[in-house]
Amino acid sequence: LISSINISMVAIDEAHCVSQWGHDFRSSYRRISRVISILRNRPIVTAFTATATSEVREDIIKLLELNNPKVFISGFDRKNLKIIIEKGVNKKNYILDYINSNKDESGIIYCSTRKEVDSLYDLLISKGLEVEKYHAGLNDEYRKEAQESFIYDKVNIIIATNAFGMGIDKPNVRYVIHYNMPQSIENYYQEIGRAGRDNEKSECILLFMPGDVHIQKYLIDVGIENTNRKKIQYKKLQQMVDLVHSNNCYRKSILEYFGEELKEDCQNCSNC
C-alpha cells in the first residue's frame, strides 16, 4: 500500500532507538530503511532525537541509510535547569518536605520500578496529596486519564517509571525528581528535559542511594538478552554512577558526555 502512493516526507522520531549505543534500542527501528527503500520515489527523510552522543548520531545516519544528510545540533545546555544531586538522604522525607514547600508547582517524580511508583503513590495519597501515577502495569484507560489530569493541571504531581514522558510537552513542569538513579546519562537528561520547557527556572533533583545501582543492574540483567547490548548498558550505567560521584560541575560533565564544551562552571548545580 505504501509503495503505491507518493509520499513527500518520512519523519523518524526518537531516532536514537535505531542504535545499539542509544539508550532505548528497539530492533523494529532497524527495519525503517527497508520500508523507505520500497517507496516508488525516495522522499525527504528526516530523523529527530533529543539525546544522541556522536556515536549514536553516526549510527542514525548509517542505519537509516540517510543520503549525505544535513546535521543540526541545537545544543544541550538548558541554563534554566538547576541540577541537584543528593546522596544518602531519607528519600521519602525529602520528597514530602519538598512537595510541602512547592505546593502549587507542577512536578514529575521518576522511580525505577512499578513497585516503587505504587509505594510512593500510596504514601503521598495517605498524606492527603493529590497525585497521579503512571507505569506499564496499569491499563491503557487509567494511564490515559492520569496523563491528561497531569497535562491539564487537574493534579500537580505525577509519579512514574520511564514509560511516562514520550511526547509530554507540558511547559510549566517546575521540578523533576529522580527517586532512583536512572540507567544512563541519556535517560537522565531526557527525563530532566521535561522540566522548564517555558524557559522559567526549574529544579532537577536526583536522590541517590547505593542500592539504586543494584536495581539498575538487575533491570539490565532481566531486560536485555543480547550480550553485546548488555555490555553497552553496563558501561552507560557506570558513566551515570561516575557522574553522581563527580566533584566537578555536573552540567559541564553532562555536556562533555554529549560532546559539547562549557568554558566556565555553571554556578547552577549542587556541586558548584
Side-chain angles (χ1 to χ4, degrees):
L1 178 65
I2 289 175
S3 64
S4 67
I5 55 177
N6 260 329
I7 289 173
S8 57
M9 180 161 92
V10 173
I12 299 143
D13 199 14
E14 308 295 349
H16 58 268
C17 296
V18 77
S19 171
Q20 287 270 9
W21 291 100
H23 62 288
D24 192 15
F25 173 66
R26 303 176 191 189
S27 52
S28 56
Y29 269 62
R30 293 278 170 100
R31 300 198 286 276
I32 293 173
S33 59
R34 292 216 296 272
V35 173
I36 294 168
S37 71
I38 63 168
L39 300 177
R40 198 165 36 186
N41 299 313
R42 184 180 171 90
I44 291 167
V45 181
T46 56
F48 302 92
T49 172
T51 40
T53 58
S54 54
E55 282 169 320
V56 173
R57 296 200 289 269
E58 283 164 25
D59 262 4
I60 289 170
I61 293 167
K62 187 173 81 191
L63 298 165
L64 293 176
E65 295 174 11
L66 305 180
N67 294 339
N68 300 317
K70 291 188 172 71
V71 179
F72 301 96
I73 301 164
S74 65
F76 292 92
D77 192 6
R78 299 274 309 283
K79 291 183 174 67
N80 61 315
L81 301 185
K82 183 173 188 177
I83 295 169
I84 300 163
I85 298 181
E86 298 278 6
K87 302 186 201 59
V89 297
N90 180 312
K91 295 185 180 192
K92 286 180 173 156
N93 289 351
Y94 186 100
I95 282 177
L96 288 169
D97 290 346
Y98 189 88
I99 289 170
N100 283 326
S101 309
N102 296 273
K103 272 213 164 75
D104 301 327
E105 305 293 7
S106 187
I108 304 171
I109 303 172
Y110 279 110
C111 301
S112 290
T113 64
R114 300 172 188 185
K115 194 176 161 190
E116 294 268 32
V117 169
D118 291 337
S119 151
L120 191 56
Y121 173 83
D122 292 343
L123 172 73
L124 297 193
I125 290 288
S126 75
K127 300 290 181 189
L129 294 163
E130 286 192 25
V131 55
E132 288 288 359
K133 64 177 176 176
Y134 189 105
H135 59 64
L138 302 164
N139 66 48
D140 288 352
E141 192 53 39
Y142 187 104
R143 289 204 304 265
K144 184 170 179 276
E145 279 180 26
Q147 184 164 314
E148 287 185 355
S149 290
F150 179 66
I151 285 174
Y152 298 117
D153 294 320
K154 290 177 191 160
V155 300
N156 279 337
I157 307 160
I158 192 157
I159 306 168
T161 58
N162 63 3
F164 176 78
M166 291 284 186
I168 298 302
D169 198 15
K170 179 174 157 72
N172 63 335
V173 174
R174 286 284 73 85
Y175 62 89
V176 169
I177 297 176
H178 278 93
Y179 190 73
N180 309 99
M181 182 191 71
Q183 213 169 81
S184 71
I185 293 175
E186 284 104 321
N187 279 99
Y188 172 67
Y189 207 61
Q190 195 167 43
E191 285 156 18
I192 66 171
R194 290 171 189 138
R197 292 200 169 177
D198 53 6
N199 284 324
E200 297 294 321
K201 287 183 178 176
S202 306
E203 294 193 320
C204 308
I205 300 163
L206 166 55
L207 305 178
F208 175 79
M209 283 288 210
D212 295 345
V213 184
H214 300 301
I215 292 173
Q216 292 300 357
K217 279 185 174 164
Y218 171 76
L219 292 173
I220 291 169
D221 283 339
V222 171
I224 300 171
E225 286 173 17
N226 181 310
T227 322
N228 189 34
R229 177 82 187 131
K230 234 179 215 172
K231 270 188 208 151
I232 291 167
Q233 280 309 113
Y234 276 132
K235 184 184 169 190
K236 286 184 178 298
L237 177 59
Q238 188 55 52
Q239 287 164 326
M240 186 68 219
V241 174
D242 292 345
L243 174 71
V244 167
H245 292 302
S246 160
N247 293 322
N248 301 327
C249 166
Y250 288 130
R251 190 182 311 273
K252 217 179 208 176
S253 304
I254 292 166
L255 293 180
E256 212 169 84
Y257 180 83
F258 290 112
E260 210 169 284
E261 196 186 339
L262 192 64
K263 294 275 191 282
E264 306 289 325
D265 287 355
C266 74
Q267 307 306 330
N268 196 26
C269 75
S270 50
N271 266 355
C272 282

